[in-house]
Amino acid sequence: GTRDHPPTQVVLRDRLLATVVSCFKRHGAAAIDTPVLELRETLTGKYGEEEGKLIYELQDQGGELLALRYDLTVPFARYLAMNKITNMKRYHVAKVYRRDNPATTRGRYREFYQCDFDIAGQFDPMIPDAECLKIVHEILSDLKLGDFLIKVNHRRVLNGVFAVCGVPDSKFVTACSTVDKLDKMPWEEVRSEMVGEKGLSPEAADHIGEYVQLHGGLDLIEQLLQDPKLSQNKLAKEGLGDMKLLFEYLTLFGITGKISFDLSLARGLDYYTGVIFEAVLLQQENDHVEEPVSVGSVAGGGRYDGLVGMFDPKGRKVPCVGVSIGIERIFSILEQRVKASGEKVRTTETQVLVATPQKHLLTARLKLISELWDAGIKAEMLYKKDPKLLKQLQYCEDTGIPFAAIVGEQELTDGVVKLRDVARREEVRI
């Protein structure tokens, strides 16, 4: 479930990360880094019912029980609490670890990168949340991955729906994780899991079904605010108020065209408390399909106001909202694209190869290449005393080096260097 990255992949990944990070920086985020290891107790009880199987625990060697970090959000919350930081805008790009059944064909690995952006602090409602959605919109537009949709929901709306449908509080979390599967399986299967495995009554399940299959925009929010049952529920009312405000800000950002208020979105993680969202790429299978098909999630996030408090001895809360960009998923899409286009990816940045046309000129090459390096120029030479000129030029072609600096007997006598443009096959004396 892990893999090596050859140079071509690293170059593509760095290109991708550069786009993402420049967006984070454009929004004023500072970078932090945290250890790969955390105390096991830091991680447990934060990720939902599957976590026991998924957290990589390390063997006890007489001391603390440790685990490998599972995401970048929990370490961030621990960092804020430990350092008593009450507001911060940060990004973090690093590897995380999950003891998952790897599905390498679908780009699921046990070690993979995450790119996170978070805003921590006590601010007015929905302003930072709207910015997180704007960031997702910017990144997916910049990467030109094709059509995408950002689904948004609210934990309180969801909990309000469960409450009015007669789901007991104790079953909110498990009901959530089942509803979250609606994008992968039809409602009939979700319903039977709710009733069969999760022990909800068939009436409650049918009732939930009426809500979770709804999606729309401001119109849907208005409609639900008028809903006789939901409007009586405190949680749902608060959540819908938030959503209305959020959509007003998103309208000002001009991005509502790509955003859908989707009541089936539940996001499995336990720590979300407010707005939750997930971005999916859409594939127009062919022109006569009414609904575009989702290719899978490429970004997700939400508000988690209670997490930092879990690490603070006095339970002081720091509200947070953040987004994680699914770099691995996006990377596999970009990689397939490069393959399909036949683009040659340069894995080095060498600008010039120092070459010699005759024998016994190693000294000249070493002197010249040293001057180039000292001047900050990216230069290479072949590690042979007397390489053939053809071999040296062939190396330029193979690795994409644009220039060859050639010094032969004649050039040394004249005190010049022949600079050859490898692609054009033109030479100038300098």
Side-chain angles (χ1 to χ4, degrees), residues 14 18 54 95 118 132 141 158 168 179 245 248 255 259 275 277 282 289 292 319 332 364 367 377 396 402 404 409:
D14 287 351
L54 296 178
K95 285 180 170 179
D118 293 83
C132 286
S141 305
L158 211 49
V179 165
L245 197 52
E248 282 170 25
I255 60 173
I259 299 203
V275 167
F277 51 86
L282 303 176
V289 177
S332 51
K367 274 185 177 163
I377 288 166
C396 291
E409 309 275 1

Side-chain angles (χ1 to χ4, degrees), residues 16-28:
L16 169 55
L17 289 176
T19 305
V20 173
V21 168
S22 78
C23 177
F24 292 163
K25 288 180 172 175
R26 186 159 67 231
H27 287 262

Side-chain angles (χ1 to χ4, degrees), residues 190-348:
V190 170
R191 182 186 181 280
S192 67
E193 182 179 313
M194 280 184 169
V195 177
E197 292 173 40
K198 303 291 167 87
L200 299 186
S201 70
E203 299 77 47
D206 288 334
H207 211 134
I208 290 170
E210 291 168 24
Y211 287 108
V212 296
Q213 296 181 72
L214 299 171
H215 50 90
L218 259 174
D219 49 346
L220 177 60
I221 298 169
E222 297 291 359
Q223 178 195 323
L224 292 171
L225 281 166
Q226 304 302 314
D227 183 291
K229 290 200 197 74
L230 280 184
S231 55
Q232 297 310 303
N233 179 281
K234 185 173 170 288
L235 281 174
K237 221 166 135 183
E238 281 174 15
L240 288 166
D242 275 354
M243 289 302 286
K244 191 174 174 184
L245 197 52
L246 178 69
F247 266 80
E248 282 170 25
Y249 298 153
L250 298 177
T251 307
L252 293 169
F253 284 153
I255 60 173
T256 44
K258 296 266 189 241
I259 299 203
S260 162
F261 174 29
D262 188 324
L263 282 145
S264 71
L265 178 69
R267 290 199 59 79
L269 295 171
D270 280 6
Y271 51 62
Y272 289 121
T273 55
V275 167
I276 44 180
F277 51 86
E278 192 162 277
V280 293
L281 294 184
L282 303 176
Q283 207 170 25
Q284 307 299 135
E285 289 295 346
N286 42 33
D287 299 332
H288 50 262
V289 177
E290 287 78 69
E291 290 271 304
V293 193
S294 155
V295 190
S297 163
V298 287
R303 175 162 285 285
Y304 50 101
D305 288 348
L307 196 55
V308 180
M310 288 183 171
F311 297 109
D312 191 291
K314 296 193 174 139
R316 283 173 296 223
K317 288 195 170 177
V318 178
C320 295
V321 62
V323 54
S324 189
I325 306 295
I327 212 74
E328 299 287 338
R329 187 66 59 78
I330 295 172
F331 176 67
S332 51
I333 294 166
L334 292 178
E335 209 183 0
Q336 283 160 4
R337 254 195 217 168
V338 166
K339 266 196 194 122
S341 73
E343 177 200 340
K344 259 196 91 166
V345 177
R346 272 200 77 184
T347 56
T348 62

